[in-house]
Amino acid sequence: MHVEWARPVGEGPFATVVVHPEAGARAVDMRGVAWDLARHGYLSAAIDYERLENGRYRHTLFPWREEGDPVVCLDVVRAAALVDRGRIALLGFSQGGVFSLLIAAQTPDIRAVVAYYPVTDFEHWLNDPSYGTFRRMVFWFIRRHFKKVSGASSDEDFSRILEMASPLAQAESISAPVLLIHGTRDRSAPIEESRRMERRLRELGRDVRLLEVDGAGHVFNFKEGDADQARRAWDETLRWLDAHMSR
């Protein structure tokens, strides 16, 4: 794990937000997010992961193999003297949103989660029956690539890894309030991924909200030209954190 910290002014301990970047990004790429959280009074810890494979550390879509792997990052965060261990939230973008939801499923004392445009059911996402012929072909190659990078030893093992990586399969274990943020024109992770997650959490009686950002695509808040949409989503993120992280 690599951790990038940003601290607010003051003595602490501070309410802390663990930040996970999208696939292909690193903790260092979250500095803008981390600094703004610090400006609003939150200690932030942006984290990325590598796995040791064939003698080399690599970033991977599936960094975790065992059930307890996702929560190891919290051991690191909680060990820091400036962290208020009773006020920890999780914030993630795309793959980072997936990670945040999965960590919450194993950590009942997490105070809040904000997940931007996550895939919540990998099996469904890879085999969505609504896809047209061309999209099904594209996702056949994506599935093949995912199986390779997952290190799965068989189709059965790959199915197990996909389920372990799917927040929807872990929804019953998520007790923290969850804010989902998703663009309505997301072609990488269709908004239905968040809609299904919201419905399931609502069925379970959880505190959940889905902010649908009209016309926005994937990672819209890190792209030029989407400043208004990004501002709206970030303002809602801060409101959610403030509402659930107060003493």
Side-chain angles (χ1 to χ4, degrees), residues 92-161:
F93 304 92
S94 192
Q95 177 180 266
V98 176
F99 287 174
S100 297
L101 290 165
L102 292 174
I103 293 169
Q106 295 196 27
T107 316
D109 60 341
I110 288 295
R111 292 287 288 269
V113 179
V114 182
Y116 278 72
Y117 32 77
V119 171
T120 59
D121 183 347
F122 277 94
E123 195 68 65
H124 183 273
W125 179 68
L126 290 169
N127 298 282
D128 191 329
S130 69
Y131 293 160
T133 302
F134 177 75
R135 194 164 173 82
R136 283 200 302 271
M137 185 184 308
V138 169
F139 272 78
W140 182 86
F141 283 104
I142 292 174
R143 183 184 182 91
R144 184 172 154 182
H145 172 67
F146 276 16
K147 182 179 178 182
K148 180 179 179 181
V149 301
S150 74
S153 58
S154 63
D155 288 341
E156 292 74 17
D157 189 34
F158 184 49
S159 293
R160 179 190 66 82
I161 290 172

Side-chain angles (χ1 to χ4, degrees), residues 91 93 114 116-117 179-183 209 211-213 216 220-222 226-241:
L91 164 65
F93 304 92
V114 182
Y116 278 72
Y117 32 77
L179 172 64
L180 299 160
I181 299 175
H182 219 121
R209 184 182 173 219
L211 173 64
E212 298 192 8
V213 184
F220 66 88
N221 48 325
F222 296 108
D226 291 332
D228 290 343
Q229 296 165 318
R231 183 75 259 169
R232 178 188 171 209
W234 188 243
D235 287 346
E236 192 60 35
T237 296
L238 293 171
R239 278 193 290 269
W240 190 260
L241 293 174

Side-chain angles (χ1 to χ4, degrees), residues 35-46:
W35 291 339
D36 201 63
L37 286 169
R39 188 168 68 87
H40 284 86
Y42 295 105
L43 179 68
S44 70

Side-chain angles (χ1 to χ4, degrees), residues 10-247:
E11 297 299 320
F14 303 103
T16 301
V17 182
V18 179
V19 181
H20 287 93
E22 73 270 21
R26 303 288 185 94
V28 68
D29 298 315
M30 295 292 102
R31 281 182 175 173
V33 171
W35 291 339
D36 201 63
L37 286 169
R39 188 168 68 87
H40 284 86
Y42 295 105
L43 179 68
S44 70
I47 299 178
D48 64 50
Y49 304 88
E50 293 179 332
R51 281 193 64 82
L52 183 62
E53 296 177 352
N54 300 319
R56 295 179 60 190
Y57 282 100
R58 303 176 186 273
H59 281 78
T60 172
L61 293 165
F62 302 98
W64 304 323
R65 294 292 187 272
E66 305 298 332
E67 185 175 340
D69 286 354
V71 297
V72 175
C73 70
L74 295 180
D75 295 337
V76 174
V77 170
R78 286 175 175 144
L82 290 174
V83 172
D84 181 341
R85 295 168 182 81
R87 291 191 296 159
I88 297 176
L90 302 165
L91 164 65
F93 304 92
S94 192
Q95 177 180 266
V98 176
F99 287 174
S100 297
L101 290 165
L102 292 174
I103 293 169
Q106 295 196 27
T107 316
D109 60 341
I110 288 295
R111 292 287 288 269
V113 179
V114 182
Y116 278 72
Y117 32 77
V119 171
T120 59
D121 183 347
F122 277 94
E123 195 68 65
H124 183 273
W125 179 68
L126 290 169
N127 298 282
D128 191 329
S130 69
Y131 293 160
T133 302
F134 177 75
R135 194 164 173 82
R136 283 200 302 271
M137 185 184 308
V138 169
F139 272 78
W140 182 86
F141 283 104
I142 292 174
R143 183 184 182 91
R144 184 172 154 182
H145 172 67
F146 276 16
K147 182 179 178 182
K148 180 179 179 181
V149 301
S150 74
S153 58
S154 63
D155 288 341
E156 292 74 17
D157 189 34
F158 184 49
S159 293
R160 179 190 66 82
I161 290 172
L162 287 181
E163 183 173 7
M164 209 168 87
S166 297
L168 190 63
Q170 325 295 329
E172 290 188 8
S173 299
I174 298 175
S175 56
V178 173
L179 172 64
L180 299 160
I181 299 175
H182 219 121
T184 59
R185 297 188 66 182
D186 194 325
R187 294 283 294 164
S188 297
I191 193 171
E192 189 59 29
E193 290 290 319
S194 282
R195 287 172 176 167
R196 293 171 70 224
M197 189 73 188
E198 183 210 21
R199 286 196 297 270
R200 181 60 182 138
L201 289 172
R202 201 169 295 285
E203 287 171 359
L204 293 165
R206 306 295 193 262
D207 185 357
V208 59
R209 184 182 173 219
L210 170 59
L211 173 64
E212 298 192 8
V213 184
D214 189 45
H218 204 58
V219 295
F220 66 88
N221 48 325
F222 296 108
K223 293 180 177 178
E224 293 184 10
D226 291 332
D228 290 343
Q229 296 165 318
R231 183 75 259 169
R232 178 188 171 209
W234 188 243
D235 287 346
E236 192 60 35
T237 296
L238 293 171
R239 278 193 290 269
W240 190 260
L241 293 174
D242 291 346
H244 296 289
M245 296 278 274
S246 63
R247 293 186 185 277

